[in-house]
């Protein structure tokens, strides 16, 4: 009879199974590579069977591992959900964990915190900043503000909040003559780029819509994340194509200047995603409705 399969070994097993890498699994679990490796060895020893096939630095589930994963995963998800429910029930004021990309949190959510507190003073929202596709329940997230495609989140209740518009911006101190045509602006000021995969098409989409050639990249003006690029634009280093929702408040307060009309981004939209169970909770519903109102407000600055 098999006894005492350690829970931490199962967490490691699932992380390795889903990432196909012990290194990535260790990063996800915030433990060492050796800890994950030992957990897998311990589990396989307990079960007296191999669960993975090794391919150099990557691993994949073998036939036994696949069947084991399919049986174990729902049980682990139920344990996590039950633990979160019990934890929330002990709080005097339950909170909602809301995920959004860091740029959205800094440039959109934080300027509206006071508005949300006024609209829903009884709700406490805690932010997380996971990127890409992730499991809401397993990551302890109640809802996510998605900047992407709803088709990537089909297992959840997903509702559109608004379209994504791309705009060209710069510091008001950089562009003194706002009557210049776009091509002259392109020829005069360097372009700022973001190498994040979600942002790689921004310049191309905007330029295609304006029937312009995408500007060349300059030294020291390519950044890894939107926040850095936005700060560079504010510091008068050049012009930037970014998402209108990200910088509406910066434009409103004179920190950035919008150049020309926005362009609809066909590659991404803004959606609210949550589990089907949480979609009917009063606090989650109230948060969703407030977000919808904020996204559909007029575009005036």
């Amino acid at each position: 009879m098999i006894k005492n399969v350690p829970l931490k070994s199962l967490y490691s097993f699932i992380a390795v199974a889903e990432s196909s890498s012990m290194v990535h699994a260790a990063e996800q679990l915030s433990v060492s590579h050796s800890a994950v490796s030992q957990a897998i060895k311990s589990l396989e020893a307990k079960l007296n069977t191999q669960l993975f096939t090794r391919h150099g630095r990557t691993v994949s589930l073998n036939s036994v591992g696949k069947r084991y994963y399919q049986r174990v995963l729902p049980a682990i998800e139920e344990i996590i959900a039950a633990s979160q429910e019990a934890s929330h029930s002990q709080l005097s004021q339950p909170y909602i964990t809301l995920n959004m990309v860091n740029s959205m949190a800094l440039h959109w959510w934080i300027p509206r915190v006071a508005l949300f507190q006024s609209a829903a003073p009884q709700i406490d929202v805690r932010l997380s900043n996971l990127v890409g596709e992730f499991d809401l329940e397993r990551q302890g997230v109640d809802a996510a503000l998605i900047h992407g495609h709803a088709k990537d989140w089909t297992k959840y209740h997903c509702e559109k909040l608004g379209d994504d518009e791309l705009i060209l911006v710069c510091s008001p101190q950089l562009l003194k003559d706002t009557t210049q045509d776009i091509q002259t602006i392109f020829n005069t000021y360097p372009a700022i780029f973001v190498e994040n995969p979600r942002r790689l098409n921004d310049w191309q989409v905007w330029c295609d819509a304006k029937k312009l050639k995408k500007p060349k990249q300059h030294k020291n003006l390519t950044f890894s994340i939107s926040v850095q690029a936005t700060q560079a634009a504010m510091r008068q280093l050049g012009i930037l194509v970014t998402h209108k929702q990200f910088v509406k408040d910066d434009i409103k307060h004179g920190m950035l200047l919008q150049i020309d009309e926005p362009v609809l981004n066909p590659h991404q939209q803004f959606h609210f995603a949550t589990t089907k169970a949480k979609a009917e909770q009063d606090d989650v519903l109230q948060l969703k409705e407030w977000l919808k109102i904020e996204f559909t407000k007029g575009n005036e600055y």
Side-chain angles (χ1 to χ4, degrees):
M1 180 177 179
I2 298 173
K3 295 181 179 180
N4 301 327
V5 173
L7 191 58
K8 64 179 181 181
S9 292
L10 295 180
Y11 284 135
S12 295
F13 166 72
I14 290 172
V16 174
E18 294 181 346
S19 65
S20 298
S21 166
M22 292 196 185
V23 173
H24 293 161
E27 292 174 352
Q28 179 183 330
L29 297 172
S30 299
V31 299
S32 66
H33 172 271
S34 62
V36 171
S37 179
Q38 287 300 318
I40 297 301
K41 289 179 180 177
S42 174
L43 179 60
E44 290 180 328
K46 286 279 186 182
L47 302 178
N48 194 31
T49 186
Q50 294 291 311
L51 299 171
F52 293 94
T53 301
R54 275 69 175 176
H55 313 278
R57 292 186 177 182
T58 63
V59 296
S60 62
L61 291 169
N62 59 27
S63 58
V64 176
K66 289 178 181 178
R67 291 195 298 271
Y68 190 63
Y69 173 80
Q70 292 168 355
R71 295 288 302 275
V72 167
L73 180 62
I76 292 296
E77 289 179 335
E78 183 61 28
I79 289 172
I80 293 173
S83 300
Q84 290 170 353
E85 182 179 339
S87 176
H88 281 209
S89 70
Q90 296 302 312
L91 297 174
S92 58
Q93 289 189 340
Y95 63 86
I96 298 174
T97 300
L98 175 65
N99 193 88
M100 65 183 72
V101 296
N102 200 39
S103 296
M104 198 73 186
L106 288 173
H107 294 287
W108 193 90
W109 171 256
I110 290 176
R112 289 167 174 77
V113 167
L115 292 175
F116 181 72
Q117 288 175 327
S118 177
Q122 79 285 5
I123 300 177
D124 182 11
V125 173
R126 313 284 177 89
L127 293 189
S128 70
N129 297 118
L130 299 169
V131 296
E133 298 171 40
F134 54 90
D135 190 295
L136 295 180
E137 293 172 308
R138 195 172 313 140
Q139 301 293 343
V141 174
D142 297 306
L145 203 166
I146 300 167
H147 183 216
H149 292 287
K151 63 181 177 60
D152 296 328
W153 300 79
T154 53
K155 66 180 286 190
Y156 300 111
H157 173 83
C158 203
E159 192 165 334
K160 181 180 174 180
L161 296 173
D163 289 316
D164 182 26
E165 292 182 308
L166 294 172
I167 57 174
L168 183 66
V169 299
C170 70
S171 166
Q173 286 72 42
L174 182 71
L175 185 62
K176 300 297 185 181
D177 183 5
T178 57
T179 64
Q180 296 179 71
D181 63 81
I182 301 299
Q183 189 60 63
T184 299
I185 292 173
F186 272 28
N187 295 338
T188 306
Y189 305 104
I192 300 170
F193 284 79
V194 182
E195 62 183 5
N196 185 300
R198 298 190 308 276
R199 301 292 311 278
L200 286 177
N201 292 323
D202 291 356
W203 269 105
Q204 192 65 60
V205 169
W206 197 90
C207 289
D208 286 348
K210 302 294 182 178
K211 295 181 171 57
L212 294 168
K213 183 179 179 181
K214 186 175 77 171
K216 67 176 183 179
Q217 293 181 239
H218 293 77
K219 292 181 180 178
N220 305 315
L221 289 181
T222 297
F223 300 91
S224 60
I225 58 176
S226 299
V227 174
Q228 297 167 347
T230 303
Q231 286 296 314
M234 291 179 180
R235 296 283 182 172
Q236 306 178 44
L237 295 182
I239 55 178
L240 169 69
V241 169
T242 188
H243 307 277
K244 186 173 183 177
Q245 288 287 358
F246 287 10
V247 295
K248 284 177 65 174
D249 287 87
D250 297 323
I251 295 172
K252 179 180 179 180
H253 293 100
M255 300 169 70
L256 286 173
L257 172 71
Q258 178 178 330
I259 307 169
D260 208 61
E261 296 300 313
V263 169
L264 190 66
N265 183 5
H267 302 291
Q268 294 172 316
Q269 294 174 323
F270 293 97
H271 294 84
F272 181 83
T274 187
T275 63
K276 292 177 173 62
K278 290 184 184 298
E280 300 303 320
Q281 288 184 194
D282 288 342
D283 53 354
V284 174
L285 277 171
Q286 192 169 350
L287 172 61
K288 181 193 70 175
E289 292 305 316
W290 181 84
L291 289 170
K292 287 174 66 176
I293 291 171
E294 286 300 308
F295 269 85
T296 55
K297 278 182 177 178
N299 292 325
E300 65 278 359
Y301 299 120

